[in-house]
Amino acid sequence: MVEKYYIKGVDIDQNSIYCHHDLMGELLIPTHKHEKSQFLYTEGGIVYVTTETKTYFLPARHFMWIPSGVKHSIHPSSEDVMMRNLYFPDEKNDVSFYKTEGIYPLTDLLLQMMLFTNRWNGNLKKGSRNYVIAKAIKAILPEICVNNLPLALPFPKDARLIKIIQHLEKNYQEPILFSDLAKKYGFTERTLHRLFHKDLGMSFIQFFTIKRMLKAIELMIEKKMTINEVAIAVGYNSVPTFSNTFYKLLGQRPSEYINGVEVLKTI
């Protein structure tokens, strides 16, 4: 059996920057970790990245930074999703940005820099032209990536909350009142509010809003619905309210997001 690049190739040369661009080719990259930090950008579909504590949603025209040593698995929506990876060795002068998991929009500047990497693959030797370009990509990230987007949902641990989350996942398109939810599962509103914060680190409204927006992104990427139809499908009767909520989460309007999907393929 040939070992996958992410199991063996990435860390063979501890001083190199490793590059891998290819179709996913599989619907699951099993749990693994690297000695290098990972810059992951994808095109052509949806990718979920699962760590030990959270599931991250990586939409088109965004990238995820995964620090070294973080165990993670990758779940693309299709084998045809394009994956673009750069793996960077840790350095003594690395700032806190490089030590934190996060999802960020791919700015126009980063997009242009990523175009230089399209034909790279394997180890980029220290001092080479490609290594210098890749190093510049890493160096600029803390300066231009200021919005770590909340495109992640934690795993509930409390059995009572697991049932509630399953209910929300099945009924994200319905208008669910917190008071009704508490009553349905035998809680007072105050007790359920505390449970959400203690177990998930966020409120019911925060969790349910992110859940709905992630579903909206899935529907928009499929391109089978208009923005109005997507808004209704995820429980919003008001398109302006949906658009404003989407903007607060991703920093762009739904129409802007759709126009930016798979942008590398058009250049």
Side-chain angles (χ1 to χ4, degrees):
M1 177 180 175
V2 178
E3 287 192 287
K4 300 289 187 177
Y5 80 93
Y6 51 83
I7 296 175
K8 185 178 180 181
V10 172
D11 295 319
I12 286 180
D13 183 348
Q14 295 183 357
N15 296 315
S16 73
I17 295 173
Y18 191 90
C19 179
H20 182 81
H21 297 333
D22 202 358
L23 294 176
M24 285 285 186
E26 51 193 323
L27 292 175
L28 169 65
I29 294 180
T31 301
H32 62 286
K33 64 179 180 178
H34 313 289
E35 295 177 17
K36 298 175 181 177
S37 295
Q38 179 177 0
F39 177 105
L40 170 61
Y41 175 81
T42 61
E43 305 161 19
I46 303 158
V47 174
Y48 292 91
V49 179
T50 301
T51 65
E52 293 180 297
T53 58
K54 294 181 179 180
T55 291
Y56 291 87
F57 182 98
L58 182 57
R61 216 185 179 190
H62 290 71
F63 75 89
M64 182 171 182
W65 182 266
I66 307 173
S68 62
V70 173
K71 292 181 179 180
H72 61 281
S73 57
I74 300 176
H75 313 255
S77 59
S78 164
E79 294 181 1
D80 297 325
V81 171
M82 172 62 74
M83 177 172 60
R84 301 181 185 275
N85 295 288
L86 290 173
Y87 298 86
F88 298 94
D90 291 341
E91 300 175 89
K92 291 182 179 179
N93 61 345
D94 278 346
V95 297
S96 59
F97 173 92
Y98 302 117
K99 301 171 185 176
T100 306
E101 301 163 17
I103 290 180
Y104 304 88
L106 194 79
T107 65
D108 290 339
L109 175 58
L110 267 179
L111 174 61
Q112 294 303 318
M113 296 180 80
M114 284 300 293
L115 290 176
F116 280 101
T117 77
N118 274 355
R119 296 184 180 180
W120 297 356
N121 226 359
N123 286 307
L124 309 179
K125 295 298 182 181
K126 196 169 185 177
S128 67
R129 175 178 176 273
N130 290 350
Y131 181 96
V132 173
I133 294 172
K135 190 77 179 293
I137 291 174
K138 178 186 177 183
I140 203 172
L141 295 182
E143 305 299 324
I144 63 176
C145 299
V146 294
N147 295 318
N148 188 341
L149 302 178
L151 297 178
L153 289 174
F155 301 124
K157 302 177 187 66
D158 191 295
R160 299 169 298 172
L161 198 54
I162 290 174
K163 291 182 180 180
I164 294 174
I165 298 305
Q166 289 172 342
H167 174 75
L168 295 178
E169 289 174 345
K170 293 177 182 178
N171 298 279
Y172 60 84
Q173 74 279 12
E174 301 296 333
I176 297 178
L177 297 177
F178 186 67
S179 56
D180 293 342
L181 191 67
K183 185 177 180 181
K184 176 180 177 65
Y185 287 93
F187 290 96
T188 65
E189 290 183 49
R190 186 175 182 181
T191 300
L192 186 56
H193 177 78
R194 286 178 174 174
L195 183 58
F196 262 90
H197 273 280
K198 180 181 179 181
D199 199 338
L200 301 179
M202 62 177 64
S203 68
F204 158 75
I205 280 294
Q206 289 173 311
F207 185 93
F208 199 36
T209 298
I210 293 173
K211 173 62 70 176
R212 282 175 157 174
M213 291 302 105
L214 297 187
K215 184 61 182 180
I217 293 170
E218 289 184 17
L219 295 175
M220 285 191 289
I221 289 176
E222 290 176 0
K223 297 182 179 180
K224 295 179 180 178
M225 295 182 177
T226 65
I227 292 175
N228 288 18
E229 291 170 335
V230 169
I232 293 171
V234 297
Y236 285 83
N237 293 323
S238 166
V239 175
T241 299
F242 167 73
S243 179
N244 289 338
T245 303
F246 191 94
Y247 181 81
K248 288 177 182 178
L249 193 68
L250 276 90
Q252 54 187 316
R253 299 291 176 183
S255 57
E256 294 171 329
Y257 177 76
I258 289 175
N259 290 335
V261 169
E262 301 181 17
V263 68
L264 273 178
K265 289 186 176 181
T266 66
I267 297 176

